[in-house]
Amino acid sequence: MTEADREPTPRVGLAAGRGVWVVVPTYNERENLARVTEAILDALPECNVLVVDDHSPDGTGALADTMAAANPRIEVLHRSRKEGLGIAYRDGFRRVLDKPGTIAVVQMDADLSHDPADLPRLVAPLMRDADLVLGTRWMPGGGTRGWPLHRRIVSRGGTVFARVVLLLPYRDLTGGYKAWRHELLEAIRLREADAQGYGFQIETTWWAHRRGASIREIPIIFREREAGRSKMRGAIVIEAVGLVLRLRWHAIVRSIGGSRGDR
Ligand SMILES: Nc1nc2c(ncn2[C@@H]2O[C@H](COP(=O)(O)OP(=O)(O)O)[C@@H](O)[C@H]2O)c(=O)[nH]1
Ligand SMILES: [Mg+2]
């Protein structure tokens, strides 16, 4: 190994975050927001961050505005009320896809459960052949820390259920740490659906797969939040189960009808 090999290689282009928008939905994440955005900009110094806040009662939106005023890489999308993660993401994605120069879009939670230090690994496959990269807990090298058993069962069980019903080969379908090439996100044309949490994550991967996208998985460790509270509800799980069954049903109907109208 020469001296030059030991030098850390300066990252350029996408690897440094150029053309990357990281979309972070927030609802009552005041205690986490500054830490997470700082860590994101450490990991990908040239990326931009869009905070999508649903009028959080704890003032997360106002804090995000203060941060955006101090740093041109941070932008805020204020939504007037809480309508669930799916709709917040859809609005956020539209905003960043309309920007000139967007090459990739990353989605991640604000509560530091998704480690911003994983960002370079998450976007790296986009520089090769990947259209979508899934941060995956249920593969060698991945996992969860501090998550109670019932959360692990719901998340893993949801993945197994969706895999079997939708015949998808991926090992984590309920996760929300993903990196997209902008062409793919445009192509799946986020519908006016209203799926929340898990349902939204499953649905977007399903449409990407149906489009023939190249989808890669990288292992991630998901750490339970230290501050703030989860917005996860039983209703979100029930909605996701219904959504998976509906997606399968529509696919069957389309294949019987020989429809070419798939998105
Ligand atoms: N804008 C917006 N963000 C949300 C909403 N629900 C959850 N989030 C955010 O989505 C991320 C994941 O939510 P969280 O409650 O931590 O889910 P969990 O990790 O599955 O327990 C966090 O950044 C939340 O603040 C919502 O209705 N609107
Ligand atoms: Mg969380």
Side-chain angles (χ1 to χ4, degrees):
M1 197 188 254
T2 67
E3 208 41 53
D5 289 334
R6 266 191 289 271
E7 293 278 306
T9 319
R11 285 183 284 119
V12 294
L14 210 59
R18 189 172 311 158
V20 179
W21 274 92
V22 180
V23 180
V24 183
T26 55
Y27 192 75
N28 287 348
E29 301 289 359
R30 196 182 163 81
E31 294 157 278
N32 293 312
L33 188 63
R35 264 181 75 196
V36 76
T37 42
E38 208 170 286
I40 291 169
L41 291 167
D42 264 358
L44 293 181
E46 295 182 39
C47 80
N48 291 283
V49 180
L50 177 69
V51 178
V52 185
D53 185 66
D54 279 9
H55 205 68
S56 299
D58 75 346
T60 304
L63 173 64
D65 282 338
T66 309
M67 289 165 39
N71 187 336
R73 293 202 177 277
I74 302 173
E75 203 173 297
V76 192
L77 173 59
H78 293 281
R79 304 187 69 264
S80 56
R81 61 195 170 99
K82 178 165 168 34
E83 288 180 291
L85 191 63
I87 293 185
Y89 263 130
R90 226 170 334 264
D91 286 359
F93 287 162
R94 284 206 188 100
R95 163 78 69 99
V96 300
L97 287 173
D98 282 345
K99 305 258 182 203
T102 301
I103 296 169
V105 179
V106 173
Q107 49 174 109
M108 70 186 288
D109 294 354
D111 56 5
L112 293 154
S113 286
H114 298 147
D115 186 351
D118 290 334
L119 280 166
R121 277 197 312 124
L122 194 77
V123 300
L126 299 180
M127 291 184 275
R128 300 190 290 272
D129 63 335
D131 302 308
L132 169 61
V133 187
L134 306 176
T136 299
R137 293 161 291 184
W138 320 113
M139 74 187 286
T144 61
R145 299 286 180 272
W147 235 22
L149 182 65
H150 73 276
R151 288 301 310 262
R152 276 180 285 152
I153 291 173
V154 168
S155 176
R156 202 152 186 190
T159 287
V160 170
F161 176 70
R163 257 178 83 108
V164 169
V165 174
L166 298 174
L167 302 173
L168 292 171
Y170 315 109
R171 286 167 283 188
D172 195 339
L173 292 166
T174 55
Y177 201 7
K178 303 185 186 181
W180 299 81
R181 281 206 78 87
H182 84 281
E183 295 92 337
L184 176 61
L185 206 48
E186 297 266 16
I188 66 171
R189 272 185 276 135
L190 300 155
R191 287 184 308 182
E192 299 296 332
D194 58 358
Q196 302 206 11
Y198 289 172
F200 176 76
Q201 310 299 1
I202 297 168
E203 187 179 18
T204 52
T205 299
W206 159 258
W207 289 120
H209 179 81
R210 301 272 296 183
R211 284 256 153 189
S214 156
I215 302 179
R216 300 275 169 265
E217 299 171 289
I218 64 143
I220 57 146
I221 303 284
F222 179 102
R223 285 185 184 75
E224 176 59 320
R225 59 163 74 238
E226 286 170 12
R229 299 172 75 163
S230 171
K231 286 96 214 170
M232 182 67 186
R233 296 289 172 270
I236 296 177
V237 179
I238 293 164
E239 180 198 60
V241 170
L243 176 83
V244 167
L245 295 174
R246 233 172 29 248
L247 291 174
R248 169 47 64 212
W249 174 249
H250 287 157
I252 292 171
V253 169
R254 265 195 303 269
S255 68
I256 292 169
S259 157
R260 294 154 306 277
D262 205 1
R263 299 195 296 165

